[in-house]
Amino acid sequence: MKALVKFGNEDKQVEIQDVPIPEISQGDVLLKVKAASICGWDIEMWRHKMANPVKVPVVQGHEFSGVIDKVGSRVTRFKVGDRVVSETAAYICGDCNQCLTGNYNLCSKRKGFGYGTNGAFTDFVKVPERCLHKIPDNTSFDHAALTEPACVAYNALIQMSRIIPGKPVLIIGPGPVGLFCLQIARLSGSNPIIVVGTSIDEVRFSVAGKLGADLIINVEKENVTEKISEITKEQGCDLVVDAAGNEKALKLAVDVVARMGQITKIGWGPKPINFSLDPMISKGARIQGTFSHVWRTWEDVLSLISRGKIVMEPMITKRISLDDWLETFEEIEESKIVKTVILFNRK
Ligand SMILES: [Zn+2]
Ligand SMILES: [Zn+2]
């Protein structure tokens, strides 16, 4: 079968290769992939700029849905033909403190699909039963493929932040995860919801507008700090979500977070930062890191998707077949796209 493989540790060492259909073990299913969405992480792997090392060769793709094609002898909760979506933690140790307390997203031995183990930019993928969730009947495969980034946002805002109805939330970085954070903040009654980006984010700004952002600010055109101070009557934002990850984003977050407020950091930024965090002390504010999601997050988010509370359609700019990956990766790198779904096994 054709698969998109990162085969080396240099820039652009990604190509379509022919790979065998995976063998499954007793606790796995063989999933026939129907839809897989492209993540910013896939672009970083292609350009070899990842924050964490990746073992090559590896089939990319970690946001995916499909139909169960085969089940291992120990699989009890799913059967052939079930429509399912998969979590991303393909391997966890099961024995560490984090695994044993249900926080397996933070297992130090965790290996994710699409970088720690073979992922879903191909026709078939091997998935442990533990990772699977049933797709609600009214939800399509391409919408279900986007459950993963929605779960990242839900975990960050609902499980890892203190979100207060009626209080301002600032979202820095209107990429897919930032836009899902906007949707969750809206569901939580945050007001106003402010989204910040740069001139390359024009397409994403227009989606943010459709999703109900109260204010969209281009940092290159306006003084964000002044504007936020004006809107919040000098109180700042109780919750600031850093979905960008670079130094400028965190500096802005520190400048505008309210006293006793929280900065929730989702965006990765491998480069060191070069400014003082002392304002966090005088403001009595905190920075909270957040990563991935757990079983409960998925069930809650799937329920919100099926009830139309989290919407997918404005997030999807393009649907493509695997052969068109390169052109699309280039467009995503230029921020021309919010989300692209690759469709597989169309017949
Ligand atoms: Zn992702
Ligand atoms: Zn563990």
Side-chain angles (χ1 to χ4, degrees):
M1 60 182 184
K2 276 196 296 188
L4 191 66
V5 178
K6 177 172 172 64
F7 61 90
N9 285 317
E10 279 169 42
D11 187 18
K12 299 190 177 174
Q13 289 190 326
V14 171
E15 66 183 9
I16 293 184
Q17 291 183 357
D18 194 34
V19 303
I21 293 178
E23 299 281 328
I24 60 166
S25 317
Q26 293 174 328
D28 301 324
V29 309
L30 183 66
L31 188 71
K32 189 177 188 180
V33 180
K34 296 294 280 183
S37 50
I38 303 171
C39 179
W41 179 254
D42 291 308
I43 309 302
E44 315 236 306
M45 284 177 64
W46 167 55
R47 297 307 311 271
H48 201 69
K49 286 183 185 165
M50 314 83 60
N52 294 318
V54 162
K55 198 173 140 240
V56 292
V58 69
V59 178
Q60 290 198 201
H62 61 267
E63 304 174 0
F64 59 99
S65 64
V67 177
I68 295 179
D69 192 67
K70 263 187 207 164
V71 293
S73 58
R74 284 209 206 128
V75 171
T76 56
R77 292 185 296 118
F78 296 91
K79 58 181 191 311
V80 171
D82 282 351
R83 301 167 74 246
V84 292
V85 63
S86 174
E87 294 186 26
T88 48
Y91 174 81
I92 53 171
C93 80
D95 294 322
C96 70
N97 271 346
Q98 304 311 322
C99 284
L100 292 170
T101 53
N103 302 303
Y104 58 85
N105 53 324
L106 303 177
C107 172
S108 63
K109 301 205 172 84
R110 175 188 184 279
K111 285 185 195 158
F113 285 108
Y115 49 99
T117 180
N118 283 334
F121 287 164
T122 186
D123 290 314
F124 291 92
V125 58
K126 176 179 89 162
V127 182
E129 179 182 25
R130 156 185 71 73
C131 294
L132 297 171
H133 298 263
K134 287 209 169 94
I135 300 175
D137 289 342
N138 67 352
T139 304
S140 62
F141 288 113
D142 46 357
H143 287 186
L146 267 65
T147 309
E148 197 273 336
C151 287
V152 171
Y154 187 91
N155 180 53
L157 265 66
I158 302 301
Q159 283 151 348
M160 302 300 287
S161 302
R162 195 176 53 153
I163 191 158
I164 310 165
K167 292 281 192 180
V169 167
L170 170 66
I171 296 162
I172 306 171
V177 169
L179 292 170
F180 279 121
C181 288
L182 158 59
Q183 294 202 45
I184 309 269
R186 198 153 174 244
L187 280 173
S188 307
S190 303
N191 192 280
I193 302 171
I194 308 161
V195 174
V196 162
T198 64
S199 297
I200 59 161
D201 292 316
E202 287 308 329
V203 175
R204 293 162 171 193
F205 281 155
S206 89
V207 177
K210 284 182 197 153
L211 293 170
D214 296 295
L215 189 71
I216 296 167
I217 309 175
N218 180 340
V219 286
E220 288 162 12
K221 293 189 179 158
E222 290 182 79
N223 184 326
V224 189
T225 316
E226 266 174 27
K227 189 126 196 191
I228 288 174
S229 168
E230 185 188 311
I231 295 159
T232 61
K233 300 192 175 69
E234 295 175 14
Q235 298 301 301
C237 292
D238 296 76
L239 178 61
V240 180
V241 181
D242 174 8
N246 55 43
E247 176 173 343
K248 278 187 186 158
L250 191 59
K251 176 78 172 68
L252 172 63
V254 170
D255 287 344
V256 302
V257 69
R259 287 170 188 266
M260 295 190 73
Q262 176 172 327
I263 298 170
T264 298
K265 186 160 166 52
I266 313 175
W268 298 82
K271 289 192 189 134
I273 56 167
N274 189 26
F275 62 90
S276 169
L277 288 173
D278 282 0
M280 299 301 288
I281 303 173
S282 51
K283 290 181 178 185
R286 58 188 180 275
I287 298 183
Q288 175 69 55
T290 165
F291 177 69
S292 197
H293 28 66
V294 293
W295 194 87
R296 196 183 97 204
T297 328
W298 282 74
E299 289 296 309
D300 291 347
V301 167
L302 283 165
S303 153
L304 288 166
I305 295 169
S306 98
R307 286 182 288 127
K309 301 286 183 189
I310 294 177
V311 294
M312 297 305 188
E313 208 46 55
M315 308 281 298
I316 300 177
T317 317
K318 259 178 118 177
R319 291 167 171 83
I320 63 166
S321 51
L322 186 62
D323 290 330
D324 300 324
W325 73 275
L326 183 55
E327 172 196 323
T328 306
F329 272 38
E330 287 166 354
E331 287 171 339
I332 297 172
E333 198 180 27
E334 292 162 22
S335 299
K336 286 182 186 159
I337 282 178
V338 178
K339 236 14 199 171
T340 300
V341 180
I342 311 178
L343 302 173
F344 295 91
N345 294 298
R346 293 209 213 193
K347 274 169 256 157

